[in-house]
Coordinates of all heavy atoms in Angstrom, one line a residue:
S1 N 2.1 -5.5 -5.7 CA 0.6 -5.9 -5.9 C 0.2 -5.2 -7.0 O 0.4 -4.0 -7.2 CB -0.1 -5.5 -4.6 OG -1.5 -5.7 -4.9
V2 N -0.5 -5.9 -7.9 CA -1.0 -5.4 -9.3 C -2.5 -5.5 -9.4 O -3.1 -5.2 -10.5 CB -0.2 -6.0 -10.5 CG1 1.3 -5.6 -10.4 CG2 -0.3 -7.5 -10.5
C3 N -3.2 -6.1 -8.4 CA -4.6 -6.3 -8.5 C -5.4 -5.2 -7.9 O -4.8 -4.4 -7.0 CB -5.1 -7.7 -7.9 SG -4.4 -9.0 -8.9
D4 N -6.7 -5.2 -8.0 CA -7.5 -4.2 -7.2 C -7.5 -4.6 -5.8 O -7.7 -3.8 -4.8 CB -9.0 -4.2 -7.8 CG -9.0 -3.5 -9.2 OD1 -8.2 -2.8 -9.4 OD2 -10.0 -3.8 -10.0
E5 N -7.5 -5.9 -5.5 CA -7.5 -6.4 -4.1 C -6.0 -6.6 -3.6 O -5.0 -6.5 -4.3 CB -8.2 -7.8 -4.0 CG -7.5 -8.9 -4.8 CD -8.1 -10.1 -4.6 OE1 -8.4 -10.6 -3.3 OE2 -8.3 -10.9 -5.5
D6 N -5.9 -6.6 -2.3 CA -4.5 -6.7 -1.6 C -3.9 -8.1 -2.0 O -4.5 -9.1 -2.2 CB -4.7 -6.7 -0.1 CG -5.2 -5.4 0.4 OD1 -5.2 -4.4 -0.4 OD2 -5.5 -5.2 1.6
L7 N -2.6 -7.9 -2.1 CA -1.8 -9.3 -2.2 C -1.5 -9.9 -0.9 O -0.9 -9.0 -0.1 CB -0.5 -8.9 -3.1 CG 0.5 -10.1 -3.4 CD1 -0.1 -11.3 -4.0 CD2 1.7 -9.5 -4.0
F8 N -1.8 -11.1 -0.7 CA -1.5 -11.6 0.6 C -0.7 -12.9 0.6 O -1.1 -13.8 -0.2 CB -3.0 -11.8 1.3 CG -2.8 -12.2 2.9 CD1 -2.3 -11.3 3.6 CD2 -3.4 -13.4 3.3 CE1 -2.2 -11.7 5.1 CE2 -3.3 -13.8 4.7 CZ -2.8 -12.9 5.5
L9 N 0.3 -13.0 1.2 CA 1.1 -14.1 1.2 C 1.5 -14.7 2.6 O 1.4 -13.8 3.6 CB 2.5 -13.8 0.5 CG 2.5 -13.3 -0.9 CD1 2.7 -11.8 -0.8 CD2 3.6 -13.8 -1.8
I10 N 1.8 -15.9 2.7 CA 2.5 -16.3 4.0 C 3.8 -16.7 3.6 O 4.1 -17.3 2.4 CB 1.7 -17.7 4.6 CG1 2.4 -17.9 5.9 CG2 1.7 -18.9 3.6 CD1 1.6 -19.0 6.7
L11 N 4.9 -16.3 4.5 CA 6.4 -16.4 4.2 C 7.1 -17.3 5.2 O 6.7 -17.1 6.4 CB 7.0 -15.0 4.1 CG 6.3 -14.0 3.1 CD1 7.0 -12.7 3.2 CD2 6.5 -14.6 1.6
A12 N 8.0 -18.0 4.8 CA 8.8 -18.7 5.7 C 10.3 -18.5 5.5 O 10.7 -18.5 4.3 CB 8.5 -20.3 5.5
Y13 N 11.0 -18.3 6.5 CA 12.4 -18.0 6.5 C 13.2 -19.1 7.2 O 12.8 -19.5 8.3 CB 12.7 -16.7 7.0 CG 11.9 -15.5 6.4 CD1 10.7 -15.2 7.0 CD2 12.5 -14.7 5.4 CE1 10.0 -14.2 6.3 CE2 11.8 -13.7 4.9 CZ 10.5 -13.4 5.3 OH 9.9 -12.3 4.8
S14 N 14.2 -19.6 6.6 CA 15.0 -20.7 7.2 C 16.0 -20.2 8.2 O 17.2 -20.4 8.1 CB 15.7 -21.5 6.1 OG 16.6 -20.6 5.4
T15 N 15.5 -19.7 9.3 CA 16.4 -19.2 10.4 C 15.6 -19.2 11.7 O 14.4 -18.8 11.8 CB 17.0 -17.9 10.0 OG1 17.8 -17.6 11.2 CG2 15.9 -16.9 10.0
G16 N 16.2 -19.7 12.8 CA 15.8 -19.5 14.2 C 16.4 -18.3 14.8 O 16.0 -18.0 16.0
N17 N 17.2 -17.5 14.0 CA 17.9 -16.3 14.6 C 17.0 -15.1 14.2 O 16.0 -15.2 13.6 CB 19.4 -16.3 14.1 CG 20.2 -15.5 15.1 OD1 19.7 -14.7 15.9 ND2 21.4 -15.8 15.1
Q18 N 17.3 -14.1 14.7 CA 16.8 -12.8 14.4 C 17.0 -12.5 12.9 O 18.2 -12.5 12.5 CB 17.2 -11.6 15.2 CG 16.4 -10.4 14.9 CD 16.5 -9.3 16.0 OE1 16.1 -9.6 17.1 NE2 17.0 -8.1 15.7
L19 N 15.9 -12.3 12.1 CA 16.1 -12.1 10.6 C 16.8 -10.9 10.3 O 16.5 -9.8 10.9 CB 14.8 -12.2 10.0 CG 14.8 -12.2 8.5 CD1 15.2 -13.5 8.0 CD2 13.3 -12.0 7.9
E20 N 18.0 -10.9 9.5 CA 18.6 -9.8 9.2 C 18.3 -9.4 7.7 O 18.6 -10.3 6.9 CB 20.1 -10.1 9.3 CG 20.5 -10.4 10.7 CD 22.1 -10.8 10.8 OE1 22.7 -10.7 9.8 OE2 22.4 -11.1 12.0
T21 N 17.8 -8.2 7.5 CA 17.4 -7.7 6.2 C 17.9 -6.4 5.8 O 18.2 -5.6 6.8 CB 15.8 -7.6 6.2 OG1 15.2 -8.9 6.5 CG2 15.3 -7.2 4.9
L22 N 18.4 -6.3 4.7 CA 18.8 -4.9 4.0 C 18.0 -4.5 3.0 O 18.0 -5.2 1.9 CB 20.3 -5.0 3.9 CG 21.0 -3.6 3.4 CD1 20.9 -2.6 4.4 CD2 22.4 -3.9 2.8
R23 N 17.4 -3.2 3.0 CA 16.5 -2.8 1.9 C 17.3 -1.7 1.1 O 18.2 -1.1 1.7 CB 15.2 -2.1 2.6 CG 14.4 -3.1 3.2 CD 13.2 -2.6 3.9 NE 12.2 -3.6 4.4 CZ 12.5 -4.4 5.5 NH1 13.5 -4.1 6.3 NH2 11.5 -5.3 5.7
M24 N 17.0 -1.6 0.0 CA 17.6 -0.6 -1.1 C 17.6 0.7 -0.5 O 18.6 1.3 -0.5 CB 16.8 -0.7 -2.3 CG 17.4 0.3 -3.4 SD 16.6 0.2 -5.0 CE 17.4 -1.2 -5.7
K25 N 16.5 1.1 0.1 CA 16.4 2.6 0.7 C 17.5 2.7 1.7 O 18.2 3.7 1.8 CB 15.1 2.7 1.3 CG 14.9 4.0 2.0 CD 13.6 4.2 2.7 CE 13.4 3.2 3.9 NZ 12.1 3.4 4.5
D26 N 17.8 1.7 2.6 CA 18.8 1.8 3.6 C 20.2 1.7 3.1 O 21.0 2.5 3.6 CB 18.5 0.6 4.6 CG 17.2 0.7 5.3 OD1 16.7 2.0 5.6 OD2 16.6 -0.2 5.6
Y27 N 20.4 0.9 2.1 CA 21.8 0.9 1.7 C 22.2 2.0 0.7 O 23.3 2.4 0.6 CB 22.2 -0.6 1.1 CG 21.6 -1.0 -0.3 CD1 21.9 -0.5 -1.4 CD2 20.8 -2.2 -0.2 CE1 21.4 -1.1 -2.5 CE2 20.2 -2.7 -1.3 CZ 20.5 -2.1 -2.6 OH 20.1 -2.6 -3.7
F28 N 21.2 2.6 0.0 CA 21.5 3.9 -0.6 C 21.7 4.9 0.4 O 22.8 5.8 0.2 CB 20.4 4.3 -1.6 CG 20.5 4.0 -3.0 CD1 20.5 2.7 -3.4 CD2 20.8 5.0 -3.9 CE1 20.7 2.5 -4.8 CE2 21.0 4.7 -5.2 CZ 21.0 3.4 -5.7
R29 N 20.9 5.1 1.4 CA 21.2 6.2 2.4 C 22.5 5.9 3.2 O 23.0 6.9 3.6 CB 20.0 6.2 3.4 CG 18.7 6.7 2.8 CD 17.6 6.7 3.8 NE 16.3 7.3 3.3 CZ 15.2 7.5 3.9 NH1 15.1 7.0 5.1 NH2 14.2 8.1 3.4
G30 N 22.9 4.6 3.4 CA 24.1 4.3 4.1 C 25.3 4.4 3.3 O 26.4 4.2 3.8
T31 N 25.2 4.7 2.0 CA 26.5 4.7 1.2 C 26.7 6.2 1.0 O 25.9 7.1 0.6 CB 26.2 4.1 -0.2 OG1 25.8 2.7 0.0 CG2 27.4 4.2 -1.1
A32 N 28.0 6.7 1.2 CA 28.4 8.1 1.0 C 28.1 8.5 -0.3 O 28.3 7.9 -1.3 CB 30.0 8.2 1.3
D33 N 27.7 9.8 -0.3 CA 27.2 10.5 -1.6 C 28.3 10.5 -2.7 O 28.1 10.2 -3.8 CB 26.8 11.9 -1.3 CG 25.6 12.0 -0.6 OD1 25.0 11.0 -0.5 OD2 25.3 13.2 -0.1
H34 N 29.6 10.7 -2.3 CA 30.7 10.8 -3.2 C 31.0 9.4 -3.8 O 31.5 9.2 -5.0 CB 32.0 11.3 -2.6 CG 32.7 10.5 -1.5 ND1 32.2 10.4 -0.2 CD2 33.7 9.5 -1.7 CE1 33.0 9.5 0.4 NE2 33.9 9.0 -0.4
I35 N 30.7 8.3 -3.1 CA 30.8 7.0 -3.7 C 29.6 6.7 -4.7 O 29.9 6.1 -5.7 CB 30.8 5.9 -2.6 CG1 31.9 6.1 -1.5 CG2 30.7 4.4 -3.1 CD1 33.2 5.9 -2.1
L36 N 28.5 7.2 -4.4 CA 27.4 7.0 -5.3 C 27.7 7.8 -6.6 O 27.3 7.4 -7.8 CB 26.1 7.5 -4.7 CG 25.6 6.5 -3.5 CD1 24.4 7.2 -2.8 CD2 25.3 5.2 -4.0
A37 N 28.2 9.0 -6.4 CA 28.6 9.8 -7.6 C 29.5 9.1 -8.5 O 29.3 9.2 -9.7 CB 29.2 11.2 -7.1
Q38 N 30.5 8.4 -7.9 CA 31.5 7.7 -8.8 C 30.8 6.5 -9.4 O 31.1 6.2 -10.7 CB 32.6 7.2 -8.1 CG 33.5 8.3 -7.4 CD 34.6 7.7 -6.4 OE1 35.4 6.9 -6.8 NE2 34.4 8.1 -5.2
L39 N 29.8 5.9 -8.7 CA 29.2 4.6 -9.3 C 28.3 5.0 -10.5 O 28.3 4.2 -11.5 CB 28.5 3.9 -8.2 CG 29.3 3.3 -7.2 CD1 28.4 2.7 -6.1 CD2 30.1 2.0 -7.7
F40 N 27.6 6.1 -10.3 CA 26.5 6.4 -11.4 C 26.8 7.6 -12.2 O 26.0 8.0 -13.0 CB 25.2 6.7 -10.6 CG 24.6 5.5 -9.8 CD1 24.8 5.4 -8.4 CD2 24.0 4.5 -10.4 CE1 24.3 4.3 -7.6 CE2 23.5 3.4 -9.7 CZ 23.7 3.3 -8.4

């Protein structure tokens, strides 16, 4: 959001199953430190 007011959206996902999401915070935390050291 880049305005003074809130950004408000309605979102639709093409699934009737439980939505499976992976966030950057989670996959960084879930990757071993020695692997990240090699990558970066």
Side-chain angles (χ1 to χ4, degrees):
S1 173
V2 296
C3 289
D4 291 336
E5 64 176 313
D6 295 349
L7 175 63
F8 189 62
L9 306 97
I10 184 164
L11 304 174
Y13 303 85
S14 60
T15 180
N17 209 330
Q18 184 162 301
L19 189 65
E20 297 177 3
T21 301
L22 184 60
R23 293 175 172 80
M24 177 176 279
K25 177 181 66 176
D26 296 325
Y27 65 71
F28 257 71
R29 287 179 175 175
T31 303
D33 289 347
H34 69 276
I35 300 295
L36 294 172
Q38 295 175 61
L39 290 173
F40 295 101

